[in-house]
């Protein structure tokens, strides 16, 4: 990820391919070195983790310069009640799908020829999976541990 400064204005995102397309009469090497990037005022942008907060709308903003290095910048605004509710609903669907997959993976534990002790341990685990939807926050699920 790169940015380019043209007339004191940050152009982001920017790519080396864009540089080539913008300057078709100039032959650039396949790999750009620091000197050439500096000459064209191109700067690498270091990625930062995107925040994960379902109560916020998160979008990528203009990179910020910290001690000579540009970093990816995430802007956050409060989500509306309807956006939050929609995200919660979608997350519960994901949780149920995962729960159903985990239940299917251990269906074998309930067959008639499985020893009673084994069956009991797995029965508890399976019930805990079924009870997942009793938790209040789908973004903070505590999953049972497989026996």
């Amino acid at each position: 990820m790169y940015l380019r400064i043209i007339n004191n204005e940050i152009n982001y995102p920017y790519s080396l391919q864009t540089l080539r397309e913008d300057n078709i009469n100039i032959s650039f090497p396949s790999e750009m070195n620091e000197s050439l990037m500096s000459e064209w005022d191109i700067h690498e942008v270091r990625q930062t983790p995107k925040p994960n907060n379902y109560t916020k709308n998160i979008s990528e903003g203009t990179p910020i310069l910290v001690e000579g290095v540009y970093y990816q910048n995430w802007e956050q605004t409060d989500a509306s009640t309807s956006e939050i509710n929609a995200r919660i609903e979608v997350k519960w669907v994901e949780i149920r799908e995962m729960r159903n997959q985990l239940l299917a993976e251990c269906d074998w534990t309930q067959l008639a020829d499985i020893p009673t002790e084994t069956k009991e341990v797995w029965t508890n685990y399976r019930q805990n999976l079924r009870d997942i939807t009793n938790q209040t926050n789908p973004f903070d699920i505590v999953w049972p541990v497989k026996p």
Side-chain angles (χ1 to χ4, degrees), residues 43-96:
H43 305 271
E44 183 177 354
V45 176
R46 294 200 182 152
Q47 290 184 325
T48 60
K50 183 177 181 179
N52 186 14
N53 183 339
Y54 70 97
T55 67
K56 302 287 185 186
N57 291 323
I58 301 167
S59 60
E60 188 173 5
T62 303
I64 55 174
L65 182 62
V66 178
E67 297 179 7
V69 177
Y70 283 95
Y71 290 92
Q72 191 176 28
N73 180 35
W74 298 103
E75 297 176 351
Q76 300 182 52
T77 57
D78 291 334
S80 69
T81 301
S82 62
E83 289 171 318
I84 293 170
N85 289 340
R87 291 173 187 159
I88 289 171
E89 201 171 308
V90 166
K91 190 65 174 178
W92 275 123
V93 168
E94 292 173 7
I95 297 298
R96 285 184 187 94

